[in-house]
Amino acid sequence: MPPTAPHSRHRPKIAVMGAGSIGCHLGGSLAGAADVTLIGRPAAMDALREHGLSLTGGGRRVLRVGSSGGPADVRLATRPDAAAGADFVLVTVKSAATADAARLLAPQLTPGTVVVSFQNGLRNTQILDSALDGHPVLAGMVPYNVLRTSPGAFHQGSGGTLMVEDTPRAGPLVRALAGAGLRIEARGDMREVQYAKLLMNLNNAINALSGLPLRDQLGQRAYRECLALSQCEALAAYQAEGIRPARLGPVPARLTPRLLRLPDGLFRRLAAATLAVDAQARSSTWEDLQRGRPTEIDSLQGEVVALAARHALPAPVNTELISLVRRMEAAGPGAGRRWSGGELLAKVTSVR
Ligand SMILES: NC(=O)c1ccc[n+]([C@@H]2O[C@H](COP(=O)([O-])OP(=O)(O)OC[C@H]3O[C@@H](n4cnc5c(N)ncnc54)[C@H](OP(=O)(O)O)[C@@H]3O)[C@@H](O)[C@H]2O)c1
């Protein structure tokens, strides 16, 4: 008989599928409020066993880790069967790995297990939903930036409130996250939240092409103009599709391009929250390129280009950004051209 997933337990049992930056951050943060198992690649698990799991930013924590049972803050596993009996499975793999993760999880999940995607991108919940027949799949959103700084060490470089679908099923997870000291909001408009997050994530490619930390890159008007152009194409496609992105910050999404175009001094004053990222923070696209991994560009600029095409709208800036990131992927780990703000702006405006 497979173990059941009793929702009444005080400490929920949580498995995290994908022990990378977000998985280790969420799993490690939850360790005091839930029974956490991280499921990851053997190399990632070896690094955690050797170095432990340390989280910096928002209060440093060093956690003990173990393989099964015993006095460990988090348990480590390399096989998806470690998700059996979990109340919640948090999916934190990159979007391109979602279908495979779902295929591996499907035979392991216990009746009643709730699956929550804490990924960027618009399609992950649908992919999980169709592969995990009968299991509720909820959308989640991570607003802040987490970077792996060394093996086993993860740094949160900015702040914000986690979001998850507002349903009673999410209750124990919401309470555990809040109990772990993370800001969490249950929302009834997660689809609109995902579209709003996509607008913000369009900066990932620009950040990677700049080679700069996020704060330095966003502090320069030419890079912000590139982002504004990219967002304007997305907003036009959203409008054609009838999508109204949620408001996630002080400025409505449709006005963000105007804010981005302000001169540096004024932008710094008015967008203090946007620049409240610490000096180390970089986009995950930058990290993927440094480590020679495929980027999520298809789930970011790729979604805008696809949506625009559906409405016969042009999206040359996003198309060009995809091709520049592809060239960096092809150049190999840490290689490829770094673009100054002026150069990148000239490049993306030359194709309009
Ligand atoms: N990092 C951020 O700041 C941030 C912020 C907000 C949202 N997000 C989103 O969160 C998601 C995760 O991003 P991330 O930066 O945490 O990615 P990441 O560091 O690459 O972590 C994903 C991990 O999952 C592993 N994995 C993939 N498939 C697996 C499988 N079948 N079994 C076990 N492990 C598997 C990956 O290993 P391999 O690399 O070997 O495949 C990798 O170690 C993405 O959608 C991202 O856009 C990231």
Side-chain angles (χ1 to χ4, degrees):
M1 279 282 286
T4 54
H7 289 278
S8 55
R9 265 200 311 270
H10 184 56
R11 278 170 68 89
K13 197 171 170 197
I14 296 180
V16 180
M17 183 65 171
S21 298
I22 294 301
C24 286
H25 183 274
L26 286 177
S29 300
L30 277 164
D35 293 336
V36 176
T37 300
L38 293 175
I39 305 171
R41 303 288 192 201
M45 297 296 100
D46 288 346
L48 290 174
R49 275 191 207 97
E50 189 179 343
H51 303 277
L53 169 57
S54 71
L55 305 177
T56 53
R60 184 180 168 79
R61 295 190 66 192
V62 179
L63 301 167
R64 289 169 295 147
V65 294
S67 52
S68 68
D73 289 316
V74 293
R75 290 184 182 82
L76 305 182
T78 54
R79 292 157 45 116
D81 57 6
D87 298 304
F88 292 92
V89 175
L90 312 186
V91 178
T92 56
V93 300
K94 288 270 166 60
S95 299
T98 304
D100 193 43
R103 182 184 59 77
L104 293 168
L105 285 170
Q108 309 298 344
L109 297 187
T110 308
T113 298
V114 178
V115 177
V116 187
S117 160
F118 274 110
Q119 303 161 278
N120 286 327
L122 302 175
R123 296 170 199 260
N124 292 304
T125 47
Q126 286 150 270
I127 293 170
L128 291 164
D129 206 27
S130 46
L132 302 175
D133 199 22
H135 290 279
V137 176
L138 309 181
M141 192 278 278
V142 178
Y144 46 75
N145 174 276
V146 179
L147 189 67
R148 191 191 76 134
T149 50
S150 63
F154 298 88
H155 182 74
Q156 181 184 339
S158 57
T161 301
L162 293 164
M163 293 179 186
V164 69
E165 226 165 293
D166 187 8
T167 146
R169 288 184 193 281
L173 176 65
V174 169
R175 286 191 287 281
L177 288 164
L182 295 170
R183 295 205 319 248
I184 169 81
E185 187 182 347
R187 307 262 307 204
D189 61 348
M190 281 307 292
R191 194 75 188 137
E192 289 77 10
V193 165
Q194 288 175 329
Y195 277 101
K197 183 77 194 310
L198 174 57
L199 289 172
M200 295 158 78
N201 287 336
L202 294 176
N203 189 54
N204 285 11
I206 296 164
N207 176 255
L209 292 163
S210 79
L212 296 174
L214 277 163
R215 195 167 66 186
D216 297 348
Q217 176 247 316
L218 283 168
Q220 296 183 37
R221 190 183 192 179
Y223 289 123
R224 293 198 307 275
E225 175 67 26
C226 296
L227 177 56
L229 291 167
S230 172
Q231 288 193 350
C232 283
E233 289 180 358
L235 286 164
Y238 286 8
Q239 192 174 6
E241 183 81 2
I243 296 157
R244 292 168 63 94
R247 180 170 175 165
L248 296 181
V251 178
R254 73 194 147 76
L255 296 182
T256 305
R258 277 200 230 168
L259 179 70
L260 291 168
R261 290 184 164 121
L262 292 174
D264 289 342
L266 198 52
F267 179 77
R268 250 179 239 121
R269 277 203 298 282
L270 292 178
T274 306
L275 293 174
V277 284
D278 75 29
Q280 296 181 53
R282 311 249 189 176
S283 72
S284 57
T285 303
W286 175 86
E287 189 185 2
D288 287 336
L289 291 169
Q290 284 301 112
R291 296 175 66 187
R293 301 184 306 197
T295 69
E296 289 188 295
I297 194 76
D298 288 338
S299 306
L300 301 172
Q301 264 78 9
E303 288 289 359
V304 176
V305 171
L307 192 57
R310 199 151 71 219
H311 296 282
L313 290 168
V317 170
N318 286 294
T319 303
E320 185 62 20
L321 288 168
I322 292 172
S323 115
L324 296 177
V325 168
R326 289 265 178 263
R327 270 190 241 167
M328 286 190 81
E329 284 176 338
R337 176 171 174 181
R338 300 291 181 273
W339 296 75
S340 73
E343 288 167 344
L344 190 60
L345 184 55
K347 183 72 180 165
V348 298
T349 46
S350 73
V351 294
R352 293 176 79 218

